Structure formats: C-alpha cells, structure tokens
Amino acid sequence: MKFVVVGAGLAGLTCARILRERGADVTVLEASDGVGGRVRTDRVDGYLLDRGFQVLFSSYPAAKRRLDKDALDLRAFDPGAIIALGPKLHVLTDPLRDPGAALAAAVSDVISPRDKLLTAMLALKLRAQTVAQVLAGPDRTTLAYLRAQGFSRAYVERFIRPFYGGIFLDRTLRTSAKCFKFDFKMLVEGRAVVPARGMGAIPEQLAEPLVADGRVRLNTRVRELIREDSGAVRGVRVEDGAEEWADAVVVAVEAPEAARLTGLRTPERMASTVNLYWQGTERVYEGKKIVLNANHRPFVNNAVQITNVAPEYAPEGRHLLSATVVGLPDFDDETLYRMAMYDIKHMFRGEPAAAHALETYEPLALYRIPYAQFAQPPGIHPHLPENDTGVPGLYFAAEFTEASSQNAAMISGEKAAGALLASRPAAGTRA
C-alpha cells in the first residue's frame, strides 16, 4: 500500500518513520523548505535561533520511545526559576535536584514556606501517579485547581502565571488543569532540555532515514485532496497541479490548514507568541534558569540567557538572550524590540552588572508566531478529532488529536501509523 503524509512536523515524521520501519511505501510532502513544522532552528551569523522559545521535557514518554537522546547531545536547564519582582531577583528551585541554589532559594521570601511545602506535596502526589491517572476524572481550569490545592494568590501571581503562562501562552491560567498536572509531573520526573544543535535537531533526527531514502519532498504545498465520487480520499494535488495518488493520506499540519484541506472540524482557538533574540558580549546573569517576569502588567513574560544552558547557540565569546511575549501585539519590529528591552531592563534594574551587560546587546532576530499551539480550555480533550477521521483513506497525525505539546504530536503520529497499519490487508488477501 502507498501512503502520503502531508506535513513534516513531529507528528507527520513520527508517523512516516514508523510506516517506513514496517516496510510501507510512504512519501512526506512538506510545504516549507525544511522539516520540523513549528520546531525549527535557524542559523544566523553563527547563532542558533529556535523559532519560538521551546524546550523538550526529557521525561516525555514519546521522547523516550522515539528519540536518540545521546545523539541529540542534550543540554539541561536547572530546576526552578529566577523570579524578577521589584528591584530583586529571587531564586526558586528544587533543593534535592539543585543543591547549588538551595540556600538562595531557602532565604528568599518571594514564595512562602507554606507554598513551598504544598509544591513538594503536589510533586510527590503526581510523581506517584501514572500519566493515565493524572489525566483521569473531571476537568477544570488550572487556576481553579491551584486554588483547590490551597496555593496562595502570591504564589500564583509570582510563579505560576509567568512560568506556566509561558508554557500555555496564556497567563490567565484558564488552560485545562490536566495540562498543568501533566507538565508538572514531567518537570518533576525529568529536566527541561535543548539539543546542542538547537530544537530543530529533534525533527531532523526523526527525518534522517526518510530523507536518506528520498521519501521527503520539501517546497511542495498540497493544494487539495483527491477524492473519489464516494468521498474516499485517494491522493493529493499539489500547487503546480501534479497529483500524488495513494491508498491513504495522512494530514499532519496545523489545525487551520487541516480544516482547509479536509473540510473537517479541528480546534479553532489558538495561542500566539512573539520571540525576540539579542546578541551580546557579556553575560546578563549566571545560572541555567529561566527568568520570570512577576512584575505588574509585564510586556515580556520570560527571558533566558540560552547560552548559559547551551553555549553552542552562539559563537565563542558571544551570548544569546531570548525573550518571550505572550500574544501577538500589533507593533512593528522596532517597537517590539524597544518595548521588550525596556521591560527586560526593568526586570534586572536592581542588578548593576546585568544592567551594564544589557547595554552590549543588539537585536538579532524576531519571530511572530500566530499559531504556536491550539487553546486547551477545560474539557476540550475528549472532543478532539480522532486519528481515523471516518472518511475512507483519510487520517490525522497532529497534536490537535491529543494535546498541544511535542509529546502529544509524536503520540498522534504513533497512533496514526498504528491505524494505517491495522487497515492494511493481511498477507494473502486482495487489496
């Protein structure tokens, strides 16, 4: 049987790679000039620039199954975060996994002892549960869940909003509590990491055997699906009019494009972000932690000296600073850079060395990402599309069948491949 996968993101590549391993004839068609979808890394003047601040959770189940972590040469963030609040920077960490920062965290009063105890108790609770148990039961917002657990308003405002607001791209914390609990469990059980060659190394690794076999065609945008009179899908037609026939087509693109191609319903609401990069000659701060903006009405949600974690992201002797803005402000590049740097300087205003270092930084690149992930309000997950669409010959492999994460994208690819392989005629039967 012949399969066509539309889209070379994590889900599509995972699906195609499994199909290839099982001896199927599979072709991947990708509209852009490279694999990875939203997980890509650009190389600019010796710098590695991920398209949007992204990390991999080393404890992701799908990552353990599908990725060669040693080959990715992973660089780990330290647990916790640095919280910028007022004129001070406050350290928050896990003292058992980050003993070097334990004293600074212990003496910091940015988080109350009670909230620290509740955090430790929640970590123990979620670590003891399976993923299925974490995701079971009724749903509610992350904010409602945290309140029910007894966390203080100060803890939510100073840590949860900027930290998980950066993960969900929603500081309101209206995201499903199941997403929060899953991510919390992943961080307790592993580390946030990036490959030494940038996040784009992940899809490149998945794609390597497919590319070697000539199964990936770049710069090939699919215009429409080819359907029989019965409605069954039997291939695709690309922009130049060429046709690629197949026994089944896997649509592995973002939800809006998937809806356009298939006419089927996909999640409509989305979360957006702007990611800004600066290059500099001095280190802004020490340590391998993200810096969270807990000040009132922040413009920048979080910043990170990514070269503290992965020096390979910049030429020798240089440093790379990344900042994340939640949403998609309607400003030109110059204004975005100016407002973001003003806010970063405000975050570090009590640190003379940081203030001096920031004067050496110059804008390097800016990414507007209208569709960074689909919105995940409480109760959405049971109503997401299935991998098998019900239309003969048409399947989905995309995070919007599972949840908005790299782990979910790879799981969706696995499930799509499983459904396709299960649909193949047994040996000795007619197709």
Side-chain angles (χ1 to χ4, degrees):
M1 295 181 74
K2 165 72 174 178
F3 302 123
V4 169
V5 177
V6 182
L10 296 182
L13 292 172
T14 300
C15 177
R17 182 158 173 167
I18 294 171
L19 293 174
R20 173 191 174 276
E21 290 168 355
R22 294 292 294 274
D25 182 1
V26 58
T27 299
V28 181
L29 305 180
E30 167 58 40
S32 73
D33 60 356
V35 301
R38 281 164 285 154
V39 186
R40 291 189 60 178
T41 301
D42 294 323
R43 291 158 177 80
V44 179
D45 297 334
Y47 292 88
L48 300 179
L49 307 179
D50 295 331
R51 296 187 183 182
F53 174 60
Q54 304 175 56
V55 299
L56 175 73
F57 292 169
S58 64
S59 51
Y60 273 157
K64 293 179 179 179
R65 292 191 296 269
R66 297 296 161 193
L67 302 178
D68 181 345
K69 293 182 181 178
D70 290 338
L72 289 174
D73 198 11
L74 299 172
R75 303 288 185 260
F77 286 74
D78 285 338
I82 298 171
I83 300 176
L85 179 64
K88 295 180 63 177
L89 299 178
H90 308 263
V91 177
L92 184 64
T93 194
D94 178 345
L96 297 179
R97 295 193 298 161
D98 187 20
L103 179 60
V107 300
S108 172
D109 60 356
V110 70
I111 301 298
S112 71
R114 182 175 183 275
D115 285 316
K116 293 175 183 178
L117 177 60
L118 288 173
T119 301
M121 292 172 60
L122 181 60
L124 290 172
K125 174 184 175 181
L126 295 180
R127 181 188 283 271
Q129 294 180 343
T130 65
V131 170
Q133 290 171 329
V134 167
L135 301 179
D139 203 0
R140 53 184 151 175
T141 67
T142 294
L143 184 58
Y145 175 79
L146 292 168
R147 286 172 173 168
Q149 298 300 308
F151 288 102
S152 71
R153 182 176 182 275
Y155 180 77
V156 171
E157 296 298 323
R158 295 173 180 179
F159 175 65
I160 297 294
R161 283 198 195 278
F163 190 85
Y164 285 93
I167 294 175
F168 304 145
L169 301 179
D170 175 18
R171 286 180 68 115
T172 70
L173 301 181
R174 296 193 184 103
T175 301
S176 162
K178 293 184 178 183
C179 298
F180 167 80
K181 290 187 288 182
F182 176 78
D183 286 346
F184 193 101
K185 177 179 174 64
M186 292 298 101
L187 285 167
V188 167
E189 294 180 351
R191 293 288 184 93
V193 298
V194 294
R197 300 186 308 279
M199 288 295 289
I202 296 172
E204 288 171 3
Q205 183 184 96
L206 289 172
E208 186 174 359
L210 298 164
V211 172
D213 287 352
R215 297 173 185 265
V216 178
R217 286 162 48 189
L218 302 177
N219 300 303
T220 306
R221 184 174 185 270
V222 172
R223 187 172 72 198
E224 59 188 352
L225 303 179
I226 299 173
R227 298 177 185 263
E228 295 179 339
D229 292 342
S230 64
V233 174
R234 288 294 175 256
V236 300
R237 187 172 291 108
V238 300
E239 280 292 346
D240 65 4
E243 296 178 343
E244 187 82 21
W245 292 83
D247 294 285
V249 173
V250 182
V251 173
V253 295
E254 295 174 353
E257 179 66 359
R260 181 193 72 81
L261 281 173
T262 67
L264 299 176
R265 186 173 182 179
T266 63
E268 296 180 357
R269 292 176 53 204
M270 65 187 71
S272 306
T273 186
V274 177
N275 180 213
L276 306 98
Y277 287 102
W278 294 263
Q279 57 178 323
T281 60
E282 298 182 25
R283 196 188 309 270
V284 179
Y285 67 93
E286 301 291 333
K288 300 178 181 181
K289 297 184 188 296
I290 190 172
V291 182
L292 307 176
N293 192 352
N295 292 304
H296 182 59
R297 298 182 67 181
F299 184 72
V300 167
N301 183 78
N302 54 268
V304 62
Q305 188 91 71
I306 191 67
T307 38
N308 285 3
V309 181
E312 297 86 351
Y313 269 56
E316 187 175 355
R318 305 287 295 184
H319 300 279
L320 184 65
L321 181 67
S322 168
T324 298
V325 175
V326 174
L328 207 63
D330 188 19
F331 301 122
D332 59 31
D333 289 4
E334 183 180 353
T335 302
L336 283 169
Y337 274 122
R338 184 175 66 252
M339 294 178 68
M341 181 53 74
Y342 177 87
D343 212 19
I344 291 171
K345 289 180 177 179
H346 184 69
M347 292 165 63
F348 288 94
R349 65 187 183 276
E351 303 288 327
H356 180 270
L358 284 169
E359 295 301 324
T360 73
Y361 278 73
E362 300 176 350
L364 182 59
L366 179 155
Y367 295 93
R368 290 177 174 82
I369 308 171
Y371 188 95
Q373 54 184 270
F374 69 91
Q376 299 178 92
I380 189 175
H381 300 99
H383 304 289
L384 294 175
E386 299 288 340
N387 295 99
D388 185 342
T389 68
V391 176
L394 180 60
Y395 295 79
F396 281 140
E399 64 172 17
F400 63 73
T401 69
E402 294 287 328
S404 195
S405 71
Q406 299 152 10
N407 181 68
M410 287 186 280
I411 287 175
S412 183
E414 292 174 333
K415 289 184 176 181
L420 284 162
L421 292 168
S423 72
R424 289 199 301 182
T429 64
R430 294 183 63 186

Short mmCIF file of all heavy atoms in Angstrom, two decimals, residues 14-71:
data_model
loop_
_atom_site.label_atom_id
_atom_site.label_comp_id
_atom_site.label_asym_id
_atom_site.label_seq_id
_atom_site.Cartn_x
_atom_site.Cartn_y
_atom_site.Cartn_z
N THR A 14 6.99 11.28 12.72
CA THR A 14 6.87 10.07 13.54
C THR A 14 6.04 9.02 12.84
O THR A 14 6.41 7.84 12.77
CB THR A 14 6.24 10.41 14.90
OG1 THR A 14 7.06 11.36 15.59
CG2 THR A 14 6.08 9.17 15.77
N CYS A 15 4.92 9.44 12.28
CA CYS A 15 4.05 8.53 11.55
C CYS A 15 4.79 7.90 10.37
O CYS A 15 4.80 6.67 10.19
CB CYS A 15 2.81 9.27 11.08
SG CYS A 15 1.67 8.27 10.08
N ALA A 16 5.42 8.75 9.57
CA ALA A 16 6.10 8.26 8.36
C ALA A 16 7.26 7.33 8.71
O ALA A 16 7.49 6.33 8.03
CB ALA A 16 6.59 9.44 7.54
N ARG A 17 7.98 7.66 9.77
CA ARG A 17 9.12 6.83 10.14
C ARG A 17 8.66 5.43 10.57
O ARG A 17 9.29 4.42 10.21
CB ARG A 17 9.92 7.50 11.24
CG ARG A 17 11.14 6.72 11.65
CD ARG A 17 12.17 7.59 12.30
NE ARG A 17 13.27 6.79 12.83
CZ ARG A 17 14.42 7.29 13.23
NH1 ARG A 17 14.63 8.60 13.16
NH2 ARG A 17 15.36 6.51 13.71
N ILE A 18 7.58 5.35 11.33
CA ILE A 18 7.05 4.05 11.75
C ILE A 18 6.58 3.26 10.53
O ILE A 18 6.85 2.05 10.41
CB ILE A 18 5.91 4.23 12.76
CG1 ILE A 18 6.44 4.84 14.06
CG2 ILE A 18 5.22 2.89 13.04
CD1 ILE A 18 5.36 5.24 15.03
N LEU A 19 5.90 3.95 9.61
CA LEU A 19 5.44 3.27 8.40
C LEU A 19 6.63 2.72 7.60
O LEU A 19 6.60 1.59 7.10
CB LEU A 19 4.62 4.23 7.54
CG LEU A 19 3.27 4.68 8.13
CD1 LEU A 19 2.63 5.74 7.24
CD2 LEU A 19 2.32 3.49 8.29
N ARG A 20 7.67 3.53 7.49
CA ARG A 20 8.88 3.08 6.78
C ARG A 20 9.48 1.86 7.46
O ARG A 20 9.88 0.89 6.80
CB ARG A 20 9.90 4.21 6.72
CG ARG A 20 11.25 3.79 6.15
CD ARG A 20 12.29 4.89 6.37
NE ARG A 20 13.62 4.45 5.95
CZ ARG A 20 14.44 3.74 6.73
NH1 ARG A 20 14.06 3.37 7.95
NH2 ARG A 20 15.64 3.39 6.27
N GLU A 21 9.57 1.91 8.80
CA GLU A 21 10.15 0.79 9.54
C GLU A 21 9.36 -0.50 9.35
O GLU A 21 9.92 -1.59 9.44
CB GLU A 21 10.23 1.16 11.03
CG GLU A 21 11.26 2.23 11.34
CD GLU A 21 11.11 2.79 12.75
OE1 GLU A 21 10.15 2.41 13.45
OE2 GLU A 21 11.96 3.63 13.14
N ARG A 22 8.07 -0.34 9.08
CA ARG A 22 7.22 -1.51 8.87
C ARG A 22 7.12 -1.92 7.40
O ARG A 22 6.31 -2.75 7.02
CB ARG A 22 5.82 -1.23 9.44
CG ARG A 22 5.79 -1.05 10.95
CD ARG A 22 6.10 -2.34 11.68
NE ARG A 22 5.04 -3.31 11.44
CZ ARG A 22 3.91 -3.39 12.15
NH1 ARG A 22 3.69 -2.54 13.15
NH2 ARG A 22 3.00 -4.30 11.86
N GLY A 23 7.95 -1.31 6.58
CA GLY A 23 8.04 -1.71 5.19
C GLY A 23 7.03 -1.08 4.26
O GLY A 23 6.89 -1.50 3.11
N ALA A 24 6.33 -0.04 4.72
CA ALA A 24 5.31 0.60 3.88
C ALA A 24 5.96 1.57 2.90
O ALA A 24 7.05 2.11 3.14
CB ALA A 24 4.30 1.34 4.74
N ASP A 25 5.28 1.84 1.80
CA ASP A 25 5.69 2.83 0.82
C ASP A 25 5.08 4.16 1.25
O ASP A 25 3.87 4.36 1.17
CB ASP A 25 5.17 2.42 -0.57
CG ASP A 25 5.60 3.40 -1.66
OD1 ASP A 25 6.31 4.37 -1.35
OD2 ASP A 25 5.21 3.19 -2.83
N VAL A 26 5.91 5.08 1.74
CA VAL A 26 5.41 6.34 2.28
C VAL A 26 6.19 7.51 1.72
O VAL A 26 7.41 7.45 1.57
CB VAL A 26 5.46 6.34 3.83
CG1 VAL A 26 6.87 6.10 4.33
CG2 VAL A 26 4.89 7.63 4.41
N THR A 27 5.47 8.59 1.39
CA THR A 27 6.07 9.83 0.92
C THR A 27 5.58 10.97 1.80
O THR A 27 4.38 11.06 2.10
CB THR A 27 5.70 10.12 -0.54
OG1 THR A 27 6.19 9.07 -1.36
CG2 THR A 27 6.28 11.45 -1.00
N VAL A 28 6.49 11.85 2.22
CA VAL A 28 6.14 13.02 3.03
C VAL A 28 6.25 14.26 2.16
O VAL A 28 7.29 14.51 1.55
CB VAL A 28 7.07 13.15 4.25
CG1 VAL A 28 6.67 14.36 5.10
CG2 VAL A 28 7.05 11.88 5.10
N LEU A 29 5.18 15.04 2.12
CA LEU A 29 5.15 16.29 1.36
C LEU A 29 5.12 17.46 2.34
O LEU A 29 4.23 17.55 3.18
CB LEU A 29 3.92 16.34 0.45
CG LEU A 29 3.75 15.16 -0.51
CD1 LEU A 29 2.48 15.34 -1.34
CD2 LEU A 29 4.97 15.00 -1.41
N GLU A 30 6.09 18.36 2.22
CA GLU A 30 6.22 19.49 3.14
C GLU A 30 6.22 20.80 2.35
O GLU A 30 6.98 20.96 1.40
CB GLU A 30 7.50 19.36 3.96
CG GLU A 30 7.93 20.59 4.73
CD GLU A 30 6.88 21.09 5.72
OE1 GLU A 30 6.23 20.23 6.37
OE2 GLU A 30 6.70 22.32 5.82
N ALA A 31 5.37 21.74 2.78
CA ALA A 31 5.22 23.00 2.06
C ALA A 31 6.44 23.91 2.19
O ALA A 31 6.75 24.67 1.28
CB ALA A 31 3.97 23.72 2.53
N SER A 32 7.13 23.85 3.34
CA SER A 32 8.23 24.78 3.58
C SER A 32 9.55 24.20 3.07
O SER A 32 9.58 23.15 2.44
CB SER A 32 8.33 25.07 5.08
OG SER A 32 8.85 23.96 5.78
N ASP A 33 10.64 24.90 3.41
CA ASP A 33 11.95 24.49 2.91
C ASP A 33 12.71 23.60 3.88
O ASP A 33 13.91 23.36 3.70
CB ASP A 33 12.80 25.72 2.57
CG ASP A 33 13.03 26.62 3.78
OD1 ASP A 33 12.48 26.33 4.87
OD2 ASP A 33 13.75 27.63 3.64
N GLY A 34 12.04 23.11 4.93
CA GLY A 34 12.72 22.24 5.89
C GLY A 34 11.74 21.46 6.72
O GLY A 34 10.54 21.77 6.77
N VAL A 35 12.24 20.44 7.40
CA VAL A 35 11.38 19.63 8.25
C VAL A 35 11.26 20.28 9.63
O VAL A 35 12.07 21.11 10.01
CB VAL A 35 11.93 18.19 8.39
CG1 VAL A 35 12.05 17.53 7.04
CG2 VAL A 35 13.28 18.18 9.11
N GLY A 36 10.21 19.87 10.36
CA GLY A 36 10.08 20.31 11.74
C GLY A 36 8.80 21.04 12.07
O GLY A 36 8.43 21.14 13.24
N GLY A 37 8.13 21.61 11.06
CA GLY A 37 6.92 22.39 11.37
C GLY A 37 7.27 23.58 12.23
O GLY A 37 8.09 24.42 11.87
N ARG A 38 6.68 23.63 13.43
CA ARG A 38 6.96 24.74 14.36
C ARG A 38 8.22 24.50 15.18
O ARG A 38 8.64 25.38 15.93
CB ARG A 38 5.77 24.95 15.29
CG ARG A 38 4.61 25.72 14.65
CD ARG A 38 3.34 25.58 15.45
NE ARG A 38 2.75 24.26 15.25
CZ ARG A 38 1.97 23.65 16.12
NH1 ARG A 38 1.70 24.22 17.27
NH2 ARG A 38 1.47 22.46 15.86
N VAL A 39 8.81 23.31 15.06
CA VAL A 39 10.04 23.01 15.80
C VAL A 39 11.21 23.09 14.83
O VAL A 39 11.67 22.07 14.28
CB VAL A 39 9.96 21.62 16.47
CG1 VAL A 39 11.18 21.38 17.35
CG2 VAL A 39 8.68 21.50 17.30
N ARG A 40 11.69 24.31 14.60
CA ARG A 40 12.79 24.51 13.67
C ARG A 40 13.82 25.47 14.27
O ARG A 40 13.49 26.28 15.15
CB ARG A 40 12.29 25.07 12.34
CG ARG A 40 11.47 24.05 11.53
CD ARG A 40 11.17 24.55 10.14
NE ARG A 40 12.39 24.82 9.36
CZ ARG A 40 12.38 25.23 8.11
NH1 ARG A 40 11.22 25.42 7.47
NH2 ARG A 40 13.52 25.46 7.46
N THR A 41 15.03 25.37 13.78
CA THR A 41 16.12 26.22 14.24
C THR A 41 16.79 26.86 13.04
O THR A 41 17.17 26.17 12.09
CB THR A 41 17.16 25.40 15.04
OG1 THR A 41 16.53 24.78 16.16
CG2 THR A 41 18.28 26.30 15.53
N ASP A 42 16.92 28.18 13.08
CA ASP A 42 17.63 28.91 12.03
C ASP A 42 19.07 29.16 12.47
O ASP A 42 19.35 29.35 13.66
CB ASP A 42 16.94 30.24 11.74
CG ASP A 42 15.56 30.06 11.13
OD1 ASP A 42 15.38 29.13 10.33
OD2 ASP A 42 14.65 30.83 11.48
N ARG A 43 19.96 29.21 11.51
CA ARG A 43 21.37 29.50 11.77
C ARG A 43 21.69 30.86 11.16
O ARG A 43 21.67 31.02 9.95
CB ARG A 43 22.25 28.40 11.20
CG ARG A 43 22.10 27.08 11.97
CD ARG A 43 22.50 25.87 11.19
NE ARG A 43 22.39 24.65 11.99
CZ ARG A 43 21.24 24.01 12.22
NH1 ARG A 43 20.10 24.46 11.71
NH2 ARG A 43 21.22 22.92 12.99
N VAL A 44 21.96 31.83 12.04
CA VAL A 44 22.17 33.21 11.61
C VAL A 44 23.47 33.73 12.21
O VAL A 44 23.60 33.86 13.43
CB VAL A 44 21.00 34.12 12.05
CG1 VAL A 44 21.25 35.57 11.61
CG2 VAL A 44 19.68 33.61 11.49
N ASP A 45 24.45 34.00 11.36
CA ASP A 45 25.73 34.59 11.79
C ASP A 45 26.38 33.79 12.93
O ASP A 45 26.96 34.37 13.86
CB ASP A 45 25.52 36.04 12.23
CG ASP A 45 25.04 36.93 11.10
OD1 ASP A 45 25.33 36.60 9.93
OD2 ASP A 45 24.36 37.93 11.38
N GLY A 46 26.25 32.48 12.88
CA GLY A 46 26.86 31.64 13.90
C GLY A 46 25.99 31.38 15.11
O GLY A 46 26.40 30.64 16.02
N TYR A 47 24.80 31.98 15.14
CA TYR A 47 23.86 31.76 16.25
C TYR A 47 22.81 30.72 15.85
O TYR A 47 22.43 30.61 14.67
CB TYR A 47 23.15 33.07 16.61
CG TYR A 47 24.04 34.11 17.23
CD1 TYR A 47 24.73 35.02 16.43
CD2 TYR A 47 24.20 34.19 18.61
CE1 TYR A 47 25.56 35.98 17.00
CE2 TYR A 47 25.01 35.16 19.18
CZ TYR A 47 25.70 36.04 18.37
OH TYR A 47 26.51 36.99 18.93
N LEU A 48 22.32 29.98 16.83
CA LEU A 48 21.21 29.05 16.64
C LEU A 48 19.95 29.69 17.21
O LEU A 48 19.90 30.00 18.41
CB LEU A 48 21.49 27.72 17.34
CG LEU A 48 22.72 26.95 16.87
CD1 LEU A 48 22.88 25.67 17.68
CD2 LEU A 48 22.63 26.64 15.39
N LEU A 49 18.97 29.89 16.37
CA LEU A 49 17.75 30.59 16.78
C LEU A 49 16.55 29.66 16.61
O LEU A 49 16.12 29.38 15.49
CB LEU A 49 17.55 31.85 15.93
CG LEU A 49 18.74 32.82 15.87
CD1 LEU A 49 18.39 34.01 14.98
CD2 LEU A 49 19.14 33.28 17.27
N ASP A 50 16.03 29.15 17.71
CA ASP A 50 14.81 28.36 17.65
C ASP A 50 13.65 29.28 17.32
O ASP A 50 13.57 30.41 17.82
CB ASP A 50 14.55 27.67 18.99
CG ASP A 50 15.63 26.65 19.34
OD1 ASP A 50 16.22 26.08 18.39
OD2 ASP A 50 15.87 26.43 20.54
N ARG A 51 12.75 28.78 16.51
CA ARG A 51 11.59 29.59 16.13
C ARG A 51 10.54 29.55 17.24
O ARG A 51 9.60 28.77 17.23
CB ARG A 51 11.00 29.08 14.81
CG ARG A 51 11.97 29.23 13.64
CD ARG A 51 11.30 28.87 12.32
NE ARG A 51 12.24 28.95 11.21
CZ ARG A 51 11.91 28.73 9.95
NH1 ARG A 51 10.66 28.41 9.64
NH2 ARG A 51 12.82 28.82 8.99
N GLY A 52 10.74 30.42 18.19
CA GLY A 52 9.94 30.43 19.41
C GLY A 52 10.72 29.73 20.51
O GLY A 52 11.38 28.71 20.26
N PHE A 53 10.68 30.28 21.71
CA PHE A 53 11.40 29.64 22.83
C PHE A 53 10.73 28.30 23.13
O PHE A 53 9.55 28.24 23.49
CB PHE A 53 11.39 30.54 24.06
CG PHE A 53 11.98 29.87 25.28
CD1 PHE A 53 13.29 29.43 25.27
CD2 PHE A 53 11.21 29.65 26.41
CE1 PHE A 53 13.84 28.80 26.37
CE2 PHE A 53 11.75 29.03 27.52
CZ PHE A 53 13.07 28.60 27.51
N GLN A 54 11.48 27.23 22.96
CA GLN A 54 10.96 25.89 23.16
C GLN A 54 11.99 25.05 23.91
O GLN A 54 13.20 25.27 23.78
CB GLN A 54 10.67 25.20 21.82
CG GLN A 54 9.72 25.95 20.91
CD GLN A 54 9.58 25.26 19.57
OE1 GLN A 54 9.23 24.09 19.50
NE2 GLN A 54 9.86 25.98 18.50
N VAL A 55 11.49 24.10 24.69
CA VAL A 55 12.35 23.12 25.33
C VAL A 55 11.70 21.75 25.16
O VAL A 55 10.51 21.64 24.84
CB VAL A 55 12.55 23.41 26.84
CG1 VAL A 55 13.22 24.76 27.04
CG2 VAL A 55 11.21 23.36 27.59
N LEU A 56 12.48 20.73 25.36
CA LEU A 56 11.98 19.36 25.39
C LEU A 56 11.98 18.89 26.83
O LEU A 56 12.96 19.11 27.55
CB LEU A 56 12.89 18.46 24.54
CG LEU A 56 12.57 16.96 24.57
CD1 LEU A 56 11.30 16.67 23.78
CD2 LEU A 56 13.75 16.15 24.00
N PHE A 57 10.90 18.27 27.27
CA PHE A 57 10.88 17.65 28.59
C PHE A 57 11.48 16.25 28.45
O PHE A 57 10.94 15.41 27.73
CB PHE A 57 9.47 17.58 29.15
CG PHE A 57 8.87 18.92 29.50
CD1 PHE A 57 7.52 19.04 29.80
CD2 PHE A 57 9.64 20.07 29.53
CE1 PHE A 57 6.96 20.27 30.13
CE2 PHE A 57 9.10 21.31 29.85
CZ PHE A 57 7.75 21.41 30.15
N SER A 58 12.59 16.00 29.13
CA SER A 58 13.30 14.74 28.96
C SER A 58 12.46 13.54 29.40
O SER A 58 12.74 12.41 28.99
CB SER A 58 14.61 14.76 29.75
OG SER A 58 14.35 14.87 31.15
N SER A 59 11.46 13.77 30.22
CA SER A 59 10.61 12.67 30.72
C SER A 59 9.42 12.39 29.83
O SER A 59 8.61 11.51 30.15
CB SER A 59 10.14 12.99 32.14
OG SER A 59 9.56 14.28 32.21
N TYR A 60 9.26 13.11 28.73
CA TYR A 60 8.16 12.82 27.82
C TYR A 60 8.19 11.34 27.43
O TYR A 60 9.21 10.85 26.90
CB TYR A 60 8.29 13.65 26.54
CG TYR A 60 7.68 15.03 26.57
CD1 TYR A 60 8.13 16.02 25.69
CD2 TYR A 60 6.63 15.36 27.44
CE1 TYR A 60 7.57 17.29 25.69
CE2 TYR A 60 6.08 16.63 27.44
CZ TYR A 60 6.54 17.59 26.56
OH TYR A 60 5.99 18.83 26.55
N PRO A 61 7.09 10.61 27.60
CA PRO A 61 7.08 9.20 27.22
C PRO A 61 7.41 8.97 25.75
O PRO A 61 8.19 8.05 25.42
CB PRO A 61 5.65 8.76 27.56
CG PRO A 61 5.21 9.69 28.64
CD PRO A 61 5.86 11.00 28.30
N ALA A 62 6.85 9.78 24.86
CA ALA A 62 7.10 9.58 23.43
C ALA A 62 8.56 9.88 23.08
O ALA A 62 9.14 9.23 22.20
CB ALA A 62 6.17 10.46 22.60
N ALA A 63 9.16 10.85 23.76
CA ALA A 63 10.57 11.16 23.51
C ALA A 63 11.45 9.98 23.89
O ALA A 63 12.44 9.68 23.21
CB ALA A 63 10.98 12.41 24.28
N LYS A 64 11.11 9.30 24.97
CA LYS A 64 11.88 8.13 25.38
C LYS A 64 11.79 7.01 24.36
O LYS A 64 12.74 6.27 24.15
CB LYS A 64 11.38 7.64 26.75
CG LYS A 64 11.65 8.60 27.90
CD LYS A 64 11.09 8.05 29.20
CE LYS A 64 11.37 9.00 30.36
NZ LYS A 64 10.81 8.48 31.63
N ARG A 65 10.63 6.90 23.72
CA ARG A 65 10.44 5.83 22.73
C ARG A 65 11.05 6.16 21.38
O ARG A 65 11.56 5.27 20.68
CB ARG A 65 8.94 5.56 22.54
CG ARG A 65 8.24 4.96 23.72
CD ARG A 65 6.84 4.49 23.34
NE ARG A 65 5.96 5.57 22.92
CZ ARG A 65 5.15 6.24 23.73
NH1 ARG A 65 5.13 5.95 25.03
NH2 ARG A 65 4.36 7.20 23.27
N ARG A 66 11.01 7.42 20.98
CA ARG A 66 11.29 7.78 19.59
C ARG A 66 12.61 8.49 19.34
O ARG A 66 13.06 8.55 18.19
CB ARG A 66 10.14 8.66 19.07
CG ARG A 66 8.80 7.98 19.05
CD ARG A 66 8.81 6.82 18.09
NE ARG A 66 7.71 5.88 18.35
CZ ARG A 66 7.64 4.67 17.84
NH1 ARG A 66 8.60 4.24 17.03
NH2 ARG A 66 6.64 3.88 18.13
N LEU A 67 13.23 9.05 20.37
CA LEU A 67 14.41 9.88 20.14
C LEU A 67 15.66 9.23 20.69
O LEU A 67 15.64 8.59 21.75
CB LEU A 67 14.22 11.26 20.78
CG LEU A 67 13.02 12.08 20.31
CD1 LEU A 67 12.95 13.40 21.07
CD2 LEU A 67 13.08 12.32 18.80
N ASP A 68 16.76 9.41 19.99
CA ASP A 68 18.08 9.02 20.47
C ASP A 68 18.64 10.24 21.21
O ASP A 68 19.24 11.13 20.60
CB ASP A 68 18.96 8.63 19.29
CG ASP A 68 20.36 8.17 19.72
OD1 ASP A 68 20.74 8.42 20.89
OD2 ASP A 68 21.06 7.58 18.89
N LYS A 69 18.45 10.24 22.52
CA LYS A 69 18.83 11.43 23.29
C LYS A 69 20.33 11.65 23.32
O LYS A 69 20.81 12.79 23.35
CB LYS A 69 18.27 11.32 24.71
CG LYS A 69 16.74 11.37 24.77
CD LYS A 69 16.26 11.31 26.20
CE LYS A 69 14.74 11.33 26.25
NZ LYS A 69 14.23 11.24 27.64
N ASP A 70 21.10 10.56 23.33
CA ASP A 70 22.56 10.73 23.32
C ASP A 70 23.01 11.44 22.05
O ASP A 70 23.88 12.32 22.09
CB ASP A 70 23.24 9.36 23.43
CG ASP A 70 23.07 8.73 24.81
OD1 ASP A 70 22.80 9.48 25.77
OD2 ASP A 70 23.19 7.50 24.91
N ALA A 71 22.42 11.07 20.93
CA ALA A 71 22.80 11.70 19.66
C ALA A 71 22.39 13.17 19.62
O ALA A 71 23.03 13.97 18.94
CB ALA A 71 22.16 10.95 18.50
#
